[in-house]
Amino acid sequence: KRYKFGVLLIKEGQTKEEEWFANEHDCPAFEEFLNIIGKKIKLKGYNGWAAGLDRKGGDSGEYTYTNTWYEHVLAYHVSSLIPSRPGDKQQVQRKRHIGNDIVCIIFVEGNQPFNPTAIKSQFLHVFIVVHQEIWASKKVWRVEVVTVEDVPSFGPSLPDVFDNEQDLSNFILAKLINAEYAALKSPKFSHPMARAREGIFSNIVDKGWKILEEMDRTSTVTAIATSNVSSDTSGSSITTTTSTNSTISTASTSNKKKFHVKTASTSSSISTIHSIKHIPSESCIPSPTRSSLLPLSEKSNQEQQSSQQPQQHRKVKEGKFVKVSKNRKNKANNQCVFNSW
């Protein structure tokens, strides 16, 4: 993750914002402190994180300071290294960078107090104030933290003084990063970020609803098309069923025709048998009643003549023949048995 922080020099006796931003880079103690918290790099042609400073035309100056702490990349807006324009009392070129930072390091010469209300900025919420002092012939650094009221507390805890440059560097870097995270929790930043997140989520939801509506519309069209295809298929099925019914009806009709044929054949047989029963008396088949009335001698002669006659056939309907056999008389009812083929 990348961070940007402001660095402002306050010389002894200065109390106004215009004086602070107008200072030039001519303080050895300030230069020493910058080398503790970062590394000096040349802006022109620099490919790393420069916190928005110009790396091509030189409008932001020739040098700046950067640092890397663990996986965090830091870049500084050093006021005294950014060029100032003649006659510009408000130092717009310098303030437009530092005034848009959230955390700013204030390096103060001497023991004068720092007044945060002297800087007019809507974004600066945390000031880390550093004083270089001499204690018992030894150079030390005293650190103070000034925050806006809504910013929650954050670590690491402040010691009395730092007499080791490495300890001071680690403390300042950790304090800077934690200060920015704490400041982002204040209403000034948290409320706009919440609205921004809400807007992003609303856009995502709106896009999602549009996609769902499009999918529903596509599904509806597909369902209608499928329904139409199903209707056409159902119509074809009905036609097929009708054809099947026609086939069944035809088959039934054929069966009926066959059945009628059988019925006609049976009727013919029955009619044939019935007609044979009504054969006239002059036929070769004697009537049983008449035969029983003849005298025995005449009956014997007649039977003898009948036995000498050849077997006769009568042609009936549809080319069928009925064979009458006198030798197969039914003794029970004294009637002839007729075989048809």
Side-chain angles (χ1 to χ4, degrees):
K1 186 175 172 57
R2 300 179 298 183
Y3 305 87
K4 60 185 183 70
F5 304 105
V7 183
L8 185 62
L9 171 63
I10 298 178
K11 293 183 177 181
E12 191 171 359
Q14 294 179 343
T15 57
K16 296 181 181 180
E17 178 187 35
E18 292 80 6
E19 296 175 337
W20 299 343
F21 281 99
N23 288 326
E24 297 298 331
H25 196 73
D26 54 2
C27 178
F30 183 53
E31 180 76 20
E32 183 182 0
F33 172 73
L34 290 174
N35 289 324
I36 292 173
I37 64 172
K39 297 177 181 179
K40 191 175 184 178
I41 57 101
K42 191 173 183 178
L43 281 174
K44 192 172 184 178
Y46 180 64
N47 295 324
W49 167 241
L53 297 175
D54 184 18
R55 295 174 295 177
K56 296 181 179 180
D59 291 340
S60 300
E62 188 177 359
Y63 298 97
T64 191
Y65 283 83
T66 63
N67 201 348
T68 302
W69 189 64
Y70 294 99
E71 296 180 355
H72 306 286
V73 180
L74 296 79
Y76 301 103
H77 294 146
V78 182
S79 63
S80 59
L81 293 178
I82 299 174
S84 62
R85 296 177 181 178
D88 186 6
K89 294 182 179 181
Q90 295 183 353
Q91 300 296 328
V92 176
Q93 182 69 7
R94 294 178 176 181
K95 191 175 180 179
R96 75 182 182 92
H97 289 289
I98 298 176
N100 289 319
D101 293 330
I102 298 175
V103 183
C104 183
I105 299 174
I106 306 295
F107 187 85
V108 181
E109 288 184 342
N111 294 324
Q112 62 182 354
F114 167 71
N115 180 17
T117 60
I119 298 179
K120 299 176 179 63
S121 173
Q122 295 183 358
F123 295 97
L124 286 172
H125 274 53
V126 180
F127 299 95
I128 297 177
V129 184
V130 179
H131 300 268
Q132 186 182 36
E133 300 177 353
I134 303 296
W135 283 19
S137 302
K138 188 176 182 179
K139 185 168 48 180
V140 296
W141 292 269
R142 180 168 54 88
V143 179
E144 300 172 347
V145 177
V146 181
T147 66
V148 177
E149 184 178 3
D150 295 328
V151 176
S153 59
F154 55 93
S157 301
L158 284 170
D160 294 334
V161 292
F162 292 93
D163 57 359
N164 182 277
E165 293 182 357
Q166 187 61 45
D167 293 340
L168 176 64
S169 175
N170 292 333
F171 177 84
I172 293 294
L173 296 178
K175 202 69 172 177
L176 287 171
I177 295 172
N178 291 337
E180 181 160 324
Y181 279 111
L184 292 175
K185 296 178 181 179
S186 64
K188 175 66 178 179
F189 299 104
S190 62
H191 292 172
M193 285 191 294
R195 289 193 297 268
R197 291 192 185 98
E198 183 179 358
I200 293 172
F201 291 147
S202 298
N203 291 333
I204 294 173
V205 171
D206 291 340
K207 290 181 180 179
W209 276 115
K210 289 180 181 179
I211 293 172
L212 288 176
E213 289 176 357
E214 185 65 25
M215 292 175 63
D216 291 341
R217 192 178 300 110
T218 305
S219 300
T220 304
V221 172
T222 305
I224 293 173
T226 306
S227 178
N228 292 335
V229 172
S230 300
S231 299
D232 295 340
T233 307
S234 300
S236 301
S237 300
I238 292 171
T239 305
T240 305
T241 305
T242 306
S243 301
T244 306
N245 291 335
S246 300
T247 305
I248 293 172
S249 299
T250 305
S252 300
T253 307
S254 301
N255 292 334
K256 288 182 180 180
K257 288 180 180 179
K258 291 179 181 179
F259 179 77
H260 289 163
V261 170
K262 289 181 180 180
T263 304
S265 175
T266 306
S267 299
S268 300
S269 301
I270 294 173
S271 300
T272 303
I273 295 172
H274 186 69
S275 61
I276 290 174
K277 287 183 179 180
H278 291 82
I279 294 176
S281 59
E282 59 270 13
S283 172
C284 63
I285 302 175
S287 173
T289 306
R290 182 182 176 186
S291 176
S292 61
L293 294 176
L294 289 175
L296 182 59
S297 58
E298 186 178 355
K299 180 178 179 181
S300 299
N301 294 332
Q302 190 173 358
E303 289 178 355
Q304 186 177 2
Q305 292 177 2
S306 298
S307 61
Q308 293 177 357
Q309 292 179 357
Q311 189 176 6
Q312 297 182 7
H313 296 83
R314 179 176 292 274
K315 187 176 181 180
V316 294
K317 293 181 180 180
E318 299 182 2
K320 288 192 176 183
F321 294 88
V322 177
K323 177 181 178 181
V324 181
S325 177
K326 291 176 62 178
N327 297 328
R328 297 180 58 189
K329 284 187 177 180
N330 192 334
K331 297 181 180 180
N333 51 15
N334 199 23
Q335 292 182 354
C336 295
V337 177
F338 305 101
N339 295 327
S340 62
W341 68 94

